[in-house]
């Protein structure tokens, strides 16, 4: 239990201290008008209060991610606490802050546009495809589960429930951000927070102690911690999906100083939620063996339902139903909205993105494959979400590095986590069954070689920018 409290304390300190350091490196300017005012359109660019933006951001980036991922990651034991804390403070929250604030600085630009600006047009073209595929996969993976549960507790069939969910998706994606998302998301965000706090209280006052830190790998299947844990627990530590969601709220901010609370703060809140659910997974079933059996029989949704109803009774059952139905749906609708925003931004040279029929057409274009994929096996989809998600995260961190290098700022705050995530994805794709399924030792070697190559490029860019700065100083002094 001591480890749990220490981890919670560090997350809070991380927000109070490191977020301010990151903000000072970025350098905010509240005298600048934000896109919510300079590009106000009544659709996506609508000023909203920071507290509402924070809750919307939390729900956009969280959903069931920090619950399902943390429960699955708990199979590795208390070492998962380390990844949640370190990953959240130094990687995930930095990633989210820069994805939101760079979007804000560039007129509410979408993630691929930011990538193109700082990493080149070739990378932008590739990441446009990857990020839209990621959002389609996430929305599809998070839609089938709620539809199945709706079919179980109502007279609706699975297909009818699926159609109903996607009807809501279309509504939320084409209406102004303050009409649906701005009104109901803060409420759902509060439910997510309350659910986590209630579970934490039940654990702390329960008879089973939360296990303390051990560096031993407790996974019953003997799967390696590196790099699997860093892909299993993404939401709650670092998730590339967040960089596709941050522009939604960036387009509603009233001033730049709100970014620390909205982007960095929401990520820390998600880390706390992941910490609680990881602790619940390790504790409730009496160890990782019991958790593995529960996951095998009922999946993450079944585990969440069993923990909630057992610890919280009727209230827990209601919360579990709300969580398993509402939270993934809110991830799906913003994924659809972000996809629509990316497509319209890509096509802005040829079409007027403000026209209602254009908004509807682009929404339907991305909703169609989402609907089709939601009818196939959830676990099959989720295998591909993990790696794609972390590739997007690594690219966003390198985008932040490029920005900081050009500005002559402390690039290492994004560079160190960018190198780490590069090592994760380079190793994972060669080892994972959805990748090349190679021998573990061989995968480690290939991942290390690729990471060293990327590191060499990083060092070269540092030297190059220093030479450019020196040349500029020489010219000015002359």
């Amino acid at each position: 239990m001591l480890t749990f409290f220490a981890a919670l304390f560090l997350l809070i300190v991380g927000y109070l201290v490191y977020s301010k350091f990151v903000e000072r490196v970025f350098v905010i300017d509240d005298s600048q008008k934000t896109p919510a005012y300079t590009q106000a359109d009544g659709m996506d660019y609508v000023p909203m209060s920071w507290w509402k933006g924070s809750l919307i951001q939390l729900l956009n980036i969280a959903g069931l991610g920090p619950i399902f991922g943390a429960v699955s990651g708990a199979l590795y034991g208390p070492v998962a606490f380390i990844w949640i804390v370190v990953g959240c403070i130094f990687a995930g929250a930095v990633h989210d802050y820069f994805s939101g604030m760079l979007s804000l600085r560039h007129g509410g630009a979408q993630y691929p546009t930011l990538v193109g600006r700082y990493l080149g047009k070739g990378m932008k073209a590739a990441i446009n495809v990857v990020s839209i595929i990621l959002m389609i996969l996430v929305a599809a993976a998070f839609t089938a589960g709620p539809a199945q549960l709706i079919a179980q507790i109502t007279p609706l069939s699975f297909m009818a429930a699926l159609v109903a969910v996607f009807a809501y998706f279309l509504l939320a994606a084409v209406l102004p951000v303050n009409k649906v998302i701005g009104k109901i998301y803060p409420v759902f965000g509060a439910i997510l927070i309350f659910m986590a706090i209630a579970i934490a209280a039940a654990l702390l006052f329960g008879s089973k102690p939360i296990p303390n830190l051990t560096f031993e790998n407790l996974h019953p299947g003997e799967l390696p911690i590196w790099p699997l844990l860093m892909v299993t627990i993404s939401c709650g530590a670092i998730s590339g999906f967040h960089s596709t969601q941050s522009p939604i709220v960036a387009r509603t901010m009233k001033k730049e100083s709100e970014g620390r609370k909205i982007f960095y703060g929401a990520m820390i809140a998600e880390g706390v939620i992941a910490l609680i659910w990881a602790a619940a997974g390790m504790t409730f079933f009496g160890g990782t063996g019991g958790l593995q059996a529960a996951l095998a029989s009922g999946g993450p949704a079944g585990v969440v339902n069993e923990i909630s109803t057992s610890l919280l009774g009727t209230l827990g059952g209601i919360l579990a139903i709300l969580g398993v139905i509402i939270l993934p749906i809110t991830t799906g609708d913003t994924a659809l909205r972000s996809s629509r925003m990316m497509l319209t931004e890509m096509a802005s040279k040829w079409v007027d993105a403000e026209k209602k029929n254009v908004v509807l057409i682009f929404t339907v274009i991305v909703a169609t494959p989402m609907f089709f994929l939601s009818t196939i096996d959830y676990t099959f989809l989720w295998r591909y979400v993990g790696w794609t998600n972390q590739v997007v995260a690594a690219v966003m961190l390198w985008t932040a590095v490029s920005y900081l290098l050009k500005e002559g700022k402390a690039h290492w705050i994004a560079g160190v986590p960018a190198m780490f995530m590069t090592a994760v994805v380079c190793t994972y794709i060669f080892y994972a069954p959805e990748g090349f399924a190679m021998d573990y030792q061989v995968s480690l070697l290939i991942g290390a070689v690729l990471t060293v190559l990327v590191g060499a490029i990083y060092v070269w860019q540092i030297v190059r920018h220093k030479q450019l700065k020196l040349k500029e100083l020489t010219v000015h002094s002359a």
Side-chain angles (χ1 to χ4, degrees):
M1 191 169 291
L2 180 62
T3 301
F4 175 80
F5 279 114
L8 185 61
F9 174 76
L10 289 173
L11 284 172
I12 295 170
V13 170
Y15 173 72
L16 295 175
V17 178
Y18 196 66
S19 69
K20 291 182 179 179
F21 172 71
V22 172
E23 184 182 60
R24 283 198 299 272
V25 170
F26 185 79
V27 185
I28 58 171
D29 183 3
D30 278 346
S31 67
Q32 295 288 329
K33 283 190 175 182
T34 63
Y37 297 106
T38 60
Q39 296 177 231
D41 62 359
M43 179 66 178
D44 296 315
Y45 294 89
V46 181
M48 288 196 294
S49 61
W50 73 265
W51 65 267
K52 185 176 287 188
S54 294
L55 286 172
I56 292 171
Q57 175 71 2
L58 175 61
L59 207 60
N60 282 359
I61 67 175
L64 281 177
I67 301 177
F68 280 13
V71 166
S72 298
L75 286 171
Y76 293 91
V79 70
F81 292 154
I82 299 176
W83 169 234
I84 291 171
V85 172
V86 175
C88 187
I89 295 172
F90 298 107
V94 172
H95 167 281
D96 288 15
Y97 183 80
F98 278 95
S99 66
M101 294 305 291
L102 287 177
S103 175
L104 184 73
R105 283 279 173 90
H106 296 295
Q110 291 296 304
Y111 163 65
T113 299
L114 297 176
V115 172
R117 186 180 185 93
Y118 291 102
L119 298 181
K121 292 182 179 179
M123 184 63 77
K124 177 185 177 180
I127 215 66
N128 253 320
V129 175
V130 172
S131 54
I132 290 176
I133 288 174
L134 170 63
M135 284 183 287
I136 289 172
L137 288 173
V138 167
F142 272 167
T143 302
Q148 288 171 351
L149 185 54
I150 291 172
Q152 291 173 8
I153 63 176
T154 70
L156 294 176
S157 65
F158 169 74
M159 188 55 67
L162 201 60
V163 170
V165 169
F166 269 88
Y168 162 75
F169 279 5
L170 291 171
L171 190 67
V174 301
L175 286 177
V177 68
N178 60 329
K179 297 301 181 183
V180 176
I181 293 174
K183 291 186 183 300
I184 65 173
Y185 268 40
V187 177
F188 293 157
I191 290 173
L192 178 65
I193 294 170
F194 177 77
M195 187 177 182
I197 292 174
I199 292 295
L203 286 174
L204 294 176
F205 293 104
S207 59
K208 299 178 181 178
I210 300 173
N212 283 317
L213 181 61
T214 172
F215 292 97
E216 183 183 356
N217 183 1
L218 301 181
H219 198 293
E222 298 183 351
L223 294 177
I225 292 174
W226 173 268
L228 300 188
L229 177 61
M230 291 74 194
V231 176
T232 303
I233 301 181
S234 53
C235 291
I238 178 171
S239 167
F241 179 72
H242 299 184
S243 63
T244 68
Q245 301 302 291
S246 295
I248 294 177
V249 178
R251 295 182 178 192
T252 69
M253 289 168 57
K254 294 182 177 181
K255 53 185 180 180
E256 289 193 356
S257 57
E258 295 174 347
R260 186 173 71 90
K261 292 178 283 191
I262 292 174
F263 300 118
Y264 201 104
M267 185 64 225
I268 292 296
E270 186 181 40
V272 171
I273 292 169
L275 188 73
I276 291 169
W277 280 99
M282 296 175 204
T283 307
F284 182 81
F285 297 99
T288 57
L291 174 59
Q292 185 184 48
L295 285 169
S297 62
V303 166
V304 170
N305 181 63
E306 187 173 350
I307 291 174
S308 300
T309 53
S310 298
L311 294 181
L312 304 177
T314 303
L315 173 63
I318 295 171
L319 287 173
I321 290 173
L322 286 173
V324 175
I325 292 178
I326 294 174
L327 297 179
I329 289 176
T330 57
T331 299
D333 64 7
T334 52
L336 178 57
R337 190 181 190 93
S338 295
S339 302
R340 183 263 296 169
M341 289 163 65
M342 285 185 187
L343 283 178
T344 52
E345 198 167 273
M346 289 167 60
S348 59
K349 292 182 180 179
W350 303 281
V351 297
D352 183 357
E354 294 184 5
K355 288 185 177 180
K356 292 183 178 180
N357 62 328
V358 172
V359 170
L360 182 59
I361 289 170
F362 279 102
T363 302
V364 171
I365 288 173
V366 287
T368 301
M370 284 181 183
F371 182 86
F372 171 76
L373 288 173
S374 64
T375 62
I376 68 177
D377 182 32
Y378 161 86
T379 55
F380 173 81
L381 292 174
W382 197 246
R383 291 207 307 267
Y384 293 91
V385 169
W387 181 75
T388 309
N389 188 42
Q390 300 305 57
V391 167
V392 170
V395 173
M396 181 60 233
L397 285 169
W398 285 120
T399 302
V401 170
S402 180
Y403 162 78
L404 292 168
L405 281 170
K406 288 181 179 180
E407 295 293 318
K409 298 176 179 178
H411 55 82
W412 59 267
I413 65 172
V416 173
M419 284 297 302
F420 182 86
M421 292 309 298
T422 298
V424 168
V425 297
C426 286
T427 306
Y428 184 87
I429 191 60
F430 288 99
Y431 176 66
E434 62 271 23
F436 295 101
M438 297 175 69
D439 177 76
Y440 182 59
Q441 298 300 325
V442 174
S443 301
L444 289 177
L445 179 60
I446 297 174
V449 170
L450 292 174
T451 304
V452 169
L453 290 175
V454 173
I457 296 172
Y458 180 26
V459 172
W460 175 72
Q461 286 293 331
I462 294 171
V463 173
R464 175 174 167 271
H465 278 84
K466 283 184 177 180
Q467 291 174 341
L468 289 174
K469 289 291 181 183
L470 184 62
K471 188 179 293 186
E472 288 176 7
L473 290 172
T474 304
V475 170
H476 286 305
S477 62

